[in-house]
Amino acid sequence: MQSAHINHLIDPSCADPHPQPADLLAWYDQHGRDLPWRLKGGRRPDPYHVWLSEIMLQQTTVAAVKPYFAAFLEAFPTVQALAAADDGLVMEMWAGLGYYARARNLLKCARVVTETYGGQFPQTASALKELPGIGDYTSAAIAAIAFNEPAAVVDGNIERVISRLYTIETPLPAAKVEIKAKVDALTPQDRPGDFAQAMMDLGATLCTPKAPKCLICCWREACAAHAIGIEERFPIKPQKKPKPVRYGTVFWIERNGQAFLIRRPERGLLGGMLALVSTDWDAEAPVPAAPCSAEWQVLPNEVKHVFTHFELRLSVWVARVDKAPPLQGEWRKMDTQLLSALPTVMKKAAKLAMTR
DNA sequence: TATCCGTGGGA
DNA sequence: TTCCCAAGGAT
């Protein structure tokens, strides 16, 4: 470590073989992103805000999270307020953000923190990791950012940065062990939270998957991949599998300006979310059995929607009825508020039905 | 370890 | 249009 500094002082043209955390922190102080859940000037942010933002940011872009983060803080200013919230309301507020298990675990976690920890989040990564919805990454991130623990934070950005810095040839996810060790060695005792966020900002703004901006990177001289011009080869990832197509039919049931909706079972796809009555979704287009007898109209356009591991094509059937179908469900006024309470695939179907 | 779990935006 | 993939976790 020390020798790298000395070499650098003796011969500035000599590429520094080691990335210096101080260089990255200096870059972060000047170029770090300005985000709603982030406090500037070394102030310790509210652990509730850090947790909420980290859960929302799992596999989700900053731009998508911003309005949801603001809405949740407005509706639930404290973790106790969230713990006391109605489950259905929380799911409807999460609608559109995806990965709905996060919302279910969000509530579970808020209730554990409120009831078991007196409303105070535990302050170590190991204790945080025991909470619902908090895994390796999120526990380390909260511990570092909110509680100054020098935990090794590794997300997708950091995997990319590290795999390039050290030309890690092992494909993901096997490379995670190696990457974690590198991050652990780099993480400073001072400002570990800023260091983690700086790494993520570097990955998000400069060390991007394609066309990284190495020319203006503070760690350019330390990057093994850049030294030989093969940045974009890293990280090495397994090849993706093709998405199968599944088919189904959803039923839009109308009465007096209201639509009949169900709540999906807690587990599985779109678990706990408001939805249209639906058949199962299978590889073969079903011969649908309508949930009740009525004059069904089949809409000319089908809904296409791409999930993480399959593509869905939904036929939409519409009918006006006099009484509710023999299912557990609820009538909801047909308005924009209803649309915003639905997960995106159901929102697409509802829109088609409402504007037919 | 592999699979399941959403969505929208950018190249 | 198509492909990629973004502050991952649970099982």
Side-chain angles (χ1 to χ4, degrees):
Chain A
M1 247 359 174
Q2 205 63 338
S3 63
H5 270 307
I6 292 167
N7 274 337
H8 195 73
L9 291 174
I10 292 171
D11 179 8
S13 71
C14 172
D16 189 333
H18 299 298
Q20 299 300 328
D23 292 337
L24 181 65
L25 286 167
W27 171 81
Y28 178 69
D29 289 336
Q30 195 166 359
H31 301 290
R33 290 174 293 179
D34 190 5
L35 301 173
W37 44 86
R38 211 177 251 183
L39 290 186
K40 290 180 163 178
R43 285 177 298 160
R44 189 83 59 88
D46 185 331
Y48 171 57
H49 297 191
V50 174
W51 166 71
L52 181 61
S53 67
E54 290 298 344
I55 301 299
M56 288 183 166
L57 285 162
Q58 289 167 2
Q59 296 289 289
T60 307
T61 58
V62 165
V65 165
K66 280 180 178 175
Y68 286 84
F69 180 76
F72 269 71
L73 274 195
E74 170 78 18
F76 316 115
T78 64
V79 68
Q80 291 94 336
L82 179 56
D86 174 75
D87 292 50
L89 172 61
V90 169
M91 299 313 288
E92 288 176 23
M93 288 182 63
W94 197 276
L97 201 54
Y99 285 140
Y100 298 100
R102 292 185 295 172
R104 304 194 296 272
N105 285 327
L106 189 80
L107 263 174
K108 287 184 192 167
C109 183
R111 287 166 183 163
V112 172
V113 168
T114 296
E115 291 159 19
T116 305
Y117 291 96
Q120 304 296 314
F121 279 85
Q123 304 196 359
T124 66
S126 68
L128 285 160
K129 202 184 164 202
E130 299 303 311
L131 295 169
I134 299 183
D136 284 329
Y137 162 76
T138 306
S139 58
I142 298 173
I145 295 167
F147 302 117
N148 229 33
E149 177 181 329
V153 177
V154 181
D155 78 323
N157 288 304
I158 294 172
E159 284 173 357
R160 187 169 57 255
V161 170
I162 294 294
S163 64
R164 287 173 176 171
L165 274 176
Y166 300 100
T167 55
I168 295 188
E169 299 286 351
T170 312
L172 288 171
K176 284 174 181 286
V177 182
E178 207 172 330
I179 291 169
K180 176 113 172 170
K182 296 291 189 188
V183 172
D184 200 37
L186 278 175
T187 299
Q189 296 295 310
D190 185 42
R191 302 181 65 189
D194 283 347
F195 179 75
Q197 294 181 92
M199 292 271 279
M200 292 189 275
D201 278 23
L202 189 72
T205 63
L206 298 187
C207 197
T208 47
K210 292 172 187 171
K213 301 166 185 64
C214 305
L215 203 60
I216 55 174
C217 178
C218 57
W219 277 354
R220 175 183 65 257
E221 313 259 303
C223 184
H226 178 62
I228 50 179
I230 55 170
E231 305 86 37
E232 288 198 31
R233 278 180 42 190
F234 300 96
I236 313 281
K237 292 190 170 183
Q239 59 186 85
K240 61 202 171 297
K241 295 175 181 174
K243 287 182 200 288
V245 180
R246 293 186 193 169
Y247 301 85
T249 298
V250 290
F251 304 94
W252 181 256
I253 302 162
E254 230 178 87
R255 184 184 71 179
N256 300 332
Q258 297 186 307
F260 185 81
L261 299 169
I262 55 114
R263 196 164 291 279
R264 291 175 64 89
E266 282 295 306
R267 297 186 165 269
L269 192 67
L270 309 179
M273 297 301 290
L274 206 58
L276 277 66
V277 175
S278 176
T279 63
D280 289 338
W281 303 338
D282 295 313
E284 304 294 327
V287 180
C292 56
S293 69
E295 287 193 24
W296 290 99
Q297 173 192 356
V298 181
L299 296 190
N301 295 319
E302 64 177 6
V303 170
K304 281 189 183 178
H305 191 74
V306 180
F307 289 108
T308 308
H309 55 294
F310 68 94
E311 178 186 327
L312 180 63
R313 295 178 194 171
L314 286 178
S315 174
V316 183
W317 290 26
V318 177
R320 295 179 190 281
V321 300
D322 294 324
K323 59 173 189 173
L327 297 170
Q328 189 164 331
E330 53 186 291
W331 291 99
R332 299 273 300 223
K333 188 177 173 207
M334 293 162 51
D335 54 15
T336 57
Q337 186 184 324
L338 168 57
L339 288 180
S340 74
L342 293 169
T344 301
V345 62
M346 294 296 165
K347 183 177 178 177
K348 289 180 183 176
K351 255 187 180 170
L352 269 188
M354 286 170 65
T355 61
R356 70 185 182 277

